[in-house]
Amino acid sequence: MANQEDIFKDIISHSKEYGFIFQSSEIYDGLSAVYDYGQMGAELKKNLREYWWKAMVQMHENIVGIDAAIFMHPTTWKASGHVDAFNDPLIDNKDSKKRYRADVLIEDHLAKIEAKIQKEVDKAKERFADKFEEAQFRATNARVLENQAKIDAINKRFKDALESNNLTEVRQIIVDCEIVCPISGSKNWTDVRQFNLMFSTAMGSVSEDANIIYLRPETAQGIFVNFLNVQKSGRMKIPFGIAQTGKAFRNEIVARQFIFRMREFEQMEMQFFVRPGTEMEWYNYWKETRMKWHQSLGFGEANYRFHDHLKLAHYANAACDIEFGFPFGFKELEGIHSRTDFDLKAHEQHSGKKLQYFDPELNQNYVPYVVETSVGLDRLFLAVLSKAYTEEKLEDGTSRVVLNIPAFLAPIKVAILPLLKRDGLPEKAREIINTLKFDHACAYDEKDAIGKRYRRQDAIGTPFCITVDHQSLEDNTVTIRYRDTMQQERVSIDALPQLIDDKVSFKKALRSLA
Ligand code: GAP
């Protein structure tokens, strides 16, 4: 059986071969950690965005959506803390001249120790078979305990160093752990420095400092600065939410794992404004609601888990991630943060404008508290793609690659395939497309044998293939073939719109959230 690393490589090459994702500027050898979505990828991404938007905005009377600009007044980023504190600790290896994130070097080192523990566990599992009790083994085996103690000690030192912003100590941890540069193999490290992740550019004249503006590193601030505009113009009553989707930019130093960590990516964020003191109730509500949304995609509950943040950002009083089982392990897919009144208060201070809400029930003005949900659209795309990608061995000894994308999210919903390129079959096929295309993304394909055409549609995840044959001209019926089961049935052409509508509309998925 192929290992996860090989499967991940297959997914990346499949994405390129079938028009989902291309390396940006590939003809110039590409731009690192920047990707373009191709003809299939753009459709799937649009559908994921739409599902999020419908679930968050259309399904909630008290949530509205906006579309703020990427460029914002530079003081926004001073107020939000990004100018002073949106940093990664970096270290260079003097021999290879390669730059690394110090925290990633330490995390990788910890992962190696964790792998040693896992090896002991796997060995014991094999030895004791059914009698194996993993929890007990982990709690008592001397080698496991010794390695776990190492992990805990490094973690504590690292957390303390970061909290006190002690970069000398961060470097010392790297030295003490004898971490070597993966390229040069040497331990010849520079000091650790903080590096701001925001991209900046100049607006107007380049010579003046005041004209430096940033490409937003999160969409959330566009919501905070518009809080009162939306509240007043929409006559919104607390609790209410403002949602938006859009591009964000971060100068990530360690950009890896395909579209998991990019320098230009898209976020889907919602800020939920609540009465102070009720934020934990709403935090728990949004944790549960967002988890349910992810699980509604049908990839199995075991692929999702919560990870509570032990170390909270200065603005948060609770925070967690929804993690997903990517081919390279469980990693953050979405963040849910109780951000208190930090952002609105900071914008009040820096702008000199009041950002308060008059609560008619309490007869009182206050700065609302905020619970935020923030999911990366590209990460969501990768989650869907990696679980949908299936290499299947078929009963007749052949194999196929199929993308089991939920039908309502599939880039192409239905492919219409005339069996032959003559005898009026293409014309009949076009007639069918001309009725279906008003509601659904359709594809027409008359090239190659029908089996080959089915495989092409399987590979892009098209849930339905409709084959037009000579019988279609006589009795107005076609065969419909289902992607997942490969079963075929004969149906009336008149029944197609209803049959397809039922299976590809967002309605069923949205109803499951209620
Ligand atoms: N407003 C809160 C915020 O931006 P975050 O945890 O930094 O929080 C939220 O980002 C989500 O955005 C993450 O859970 C992830 O899905 C996505 N994300 C963050 N950085 C990313 C990157 N470099 N590439 C792709 N997605 C990213």
Side-chain angles (χ1 to χ4, degrees):
M1 215 172 90
N3 67 28
Q4 288 295 303
E5 210 172 299
D6 290 337
I7 292 174
F8 190 40
K9 280 188 192 144
D10 290 344
I11 291 169
I12 295 171
S13 57
H14 188 88
S15 300
K16 182 178 173 194
E17 187 178 347
Y18 287 93
F20 283 85
I21 296 165
F22 308 125
Q23 177 74 58
S24 160
S25 333
E26 197 189 62
I27 58 166
Y28 294 105
D29 294 335
L31 186 63
S32 159
V34 186
Y35 290 90
D36 296 339
Y37 285 81
Q39 65 279 19
M40 291 303 145
E43 289 284 344
L44 175 55
K45 195 174 175 203
K46 171 179 68 72
N47 293 340
L48 284 166
R49 192 190 296 111
E50 194 176 340
Y51 183 44
W52 181 88
W53 188 273
K54 281 180 188 287
M56 299 300 274
V57 180
Q58 189 175 319
M59 302 299 289
H60 290 95
E61 267 175 47
N62 59 349
I63 300 182
V64 290
I66 64 165
D67 184 12
I70 287 172
F71 292 149
M72 300 182 72
H73 191 285
T75 310
T76 309
W77 306 110
K78 187 81 192 149
S80 69
H82 285 83
V83 170
D84 297 318
F86 194 50
N87 298 322
D88 274 347
L90 296 189
I91 189 165
D92 290 22
N93 182 269
K94 291 184 197 163
D95 298 319
S96 67
K97 311 268 183 277
K98 286 274 170 204
R99 180 164 294 172
Y100 299 93
R101 258 175 65 181
D103 55 330
V104 171
L105 285 180
I106 293 170
E107 271 166 24
D108 287 351
H109 179 71
L110 292 173
K112 280 187 196 144
I113 306 177
E114 182 60 51
K116 281 188 195 163
I117 296 180
Q118 193 58 46
K119 210 166 158 192
E120 293 292 336
V121 171
D122 292 343
K123 262 194 333 207
K125 206 181 262 173
E126 214 175 289
R127 199 168 348 122
F128 297 115
D130 289 352
K131 294 199 194 90
F132 184 61
E133 300 255 359
E134 184 168 334
Q136 197 195 347
F137 180 79
R138 280 179 182 269
T140 53
N141 179 274
R143 268 192 295 266
V144 169
L145 289 176
E146 189 189 321
N147 280 320
Q148 190 56 52
K150 273 189 201 161
I151 293 179
D152 294 345
I154 297 169
N155 257 332
K156 177 161 184 338
R157 249 182 102 183
F158 184 47
K159 186 170 169 257
D160 291 347
L162 281 187
E163 270 173 4
S164 55
N165 201 22
N166 186 347
L167 298 181
T168 314
E169 169 69 352
V170 173
R171 180 181 187 276
Q172 197 55 45
I173 296 172
I174 292 174
V175 171
D176 292 349
C177 290
E178 303 190 344
I179 296 174
V180 297
C181 165
I183 308 285
S184 68
S186 88
K187 297 177 206 158
N188 198 4
W189 297 109
T190 62
D191 289 341
V192 177
R193 311 171 312 303
Q194 292 289 15
F195 174 83
N196 194 285
L197 294 183
M198 282 196 294
F199 283 101
S200 61
T201 185
M203 189 175 254
S205 153
V206 279
S207 59
E208 291 163 45
D209 235 17
N211 289 334
I212 288 182
I213 53 164
Y214 297 100
L215 273 70
R216 64 182 178 197
E218 62 170 9
T219 60
Q221 298 304 324
I223 292 177
F224 287 124
V225 299
N226 278 299
F227 158 71
L228 260 197
N229 284 337
V230 174
Q231 191 273 321
K232 285 198 179 338
S233 60
R235 292 178 295 124
M236 308 299 291
K237 286 207 170 59
I238 270 177
F240 74 90
I242 306 178
Q244 86 165 317
T245 71
K247 287 282 178 110
F249 305 84
R250 295 181 189 179
N251 198 359
E252 301 279 3
I253 293 307
V254 180
R256 50 183 183 180
Q257 287 148 342
F258 195 34
I259 57 169
F260 181 80
R261 192 177 303 286
M262 299 199 287
R263 297 205 164 102
E264 174 179 342
F265 57 100
E266 192 164 336
Q267 289 187 315
M268 306 195 288
E269 299 200 293
M270 193 274 303
Q271 316 298 130
F272 201 68
F273 299 90
V274 305
R275 190 182 281 173
T278 64
E279 70 275 10
M280 286 318 291
E281 185 188 312
W282 286 110
Y283 172 70
N284 289 325
Y285 169 85
W286 283 110
K287 265 177 84 168
E288 201 183 303
T289 304
R290 293 302 304 148
M291 181 60 103
K292 205 167 167 190
W293 185 88
H294 286 288
Q295 293 183 344
S296 73
L297 300 179
F299 294 119
E301 293 185 9
N303 283 307
Y304 301 87
R305 69 181 188 198
F306 285 116
H307 168 76
D308 291 319
H309 290 198
L310 298 176
K311 179 179 178 292
L312 295 173
H314 55 287
Y315 54 76
N317 63 3
C320 71
D321 299 333
I322 293 177
E323 292 187 339
F324 182 77
F326 288 98
F328 39 84
F330 268 91
K331 292 268 173 315
E332 175 184 348
L333 174 61
E334 169 153 1
I336 297 161
H337 313 124
S338 174
R339 292 181 74 128
T340 66
D341 55 2
F342 173 84
D343 302 87
L344 289 179
K345 274 212 168 127
H347 287 304
E348 275 197 330
Q349 277 159 14
H350 282 80
S351 68
K353 311 263 165 40
K354 278 212 174 316
L355 292 174
Q356 301 196 353
Y357 172 78
F358 176 72
D359 191 325
E361 281 171 35
L362 299 181
N363 197 25
Q364 187 185 319
N365 279 305
Y366 55 77
V367 177
Y369 270 42
V370 172
V371 176
E372 160 185 80
T373 72
S374 174
V375 56
L377 178 50
D378 313 87
R379 276 193 199 176
L380 182 63
F381 187 108
L382 183 59
V384 169
L385 198 65
S386 57
K387 281 292 170 282
Y389 180 88
T390 316
E391 293 173 7
E392 265 181 17
K393 278 256 166 293
L394 304 177
E395 276 171 13
D396 64 2
T398 61
S399 61
R400 70 166 181 161
V401 171
V402 56
L403 292 188
N404 295 114
I405 301 172
F408 72 103
L409 297 174
I412 302 289
K413 300 296 189 286
V414 48
I416 324 282
L417 318 170
L419 195 58
L420 299 173
K421 265 193 259 180
R422 53 182 160 74
D423 303 340
L425 302 186
E427 290 74 10
K428 188 76 182 167
R430 293 269 182 221
E431 247 176 57
I432 297 172
I433 287 205
N434 285 338
T435 49
L436 295 179
K437 72 179 180 192
F438 292 99
D439 295 308
H440 307 296
C442 301
Y444 175 85
D445 190 2
E446 58 177 27
K447 196 169 174 289
D448 298 322
I450 195 75
K452 225 171 171 182
R453 284 184 263 169
Y454 286 154
R455 289 290 176 277
R456 274 204 290 270
Q457 295 302 326
D458 288 343
I460 57 169
T462 306
F464 311 105
C465 285
I466 287 165
T467 308
V468 178
D469 55 18
H470 290 96
Q471 190 182 332
S472 310
L473 303 180
E474 285 161 23
D475 64 4
N476 211 40
T477 63
V478 284
T479 50
I480 181 161
R481 174 199 180 261
Y482 299 98
R483 174 196 69 194
D484 300 347
T485 59
M486 294 191 291
Q487 299 285 312
Q488 300 188 19
E489 62 176 328
R490 192 108 209 150
V491 297
S492 153
I493 291 175
D494 298 334
L496 282 177
Q498 186 67 50
L499 200 156
I500 293 167
D501 266 9
D502 284 350
K503 301 223 161 80
V504 306
S505 90
F506 282 84
K507 236 185 252 172
K508 213 161 104 197
L510 289 169
R511 284 222 171 95
S512 77
L513 301 173

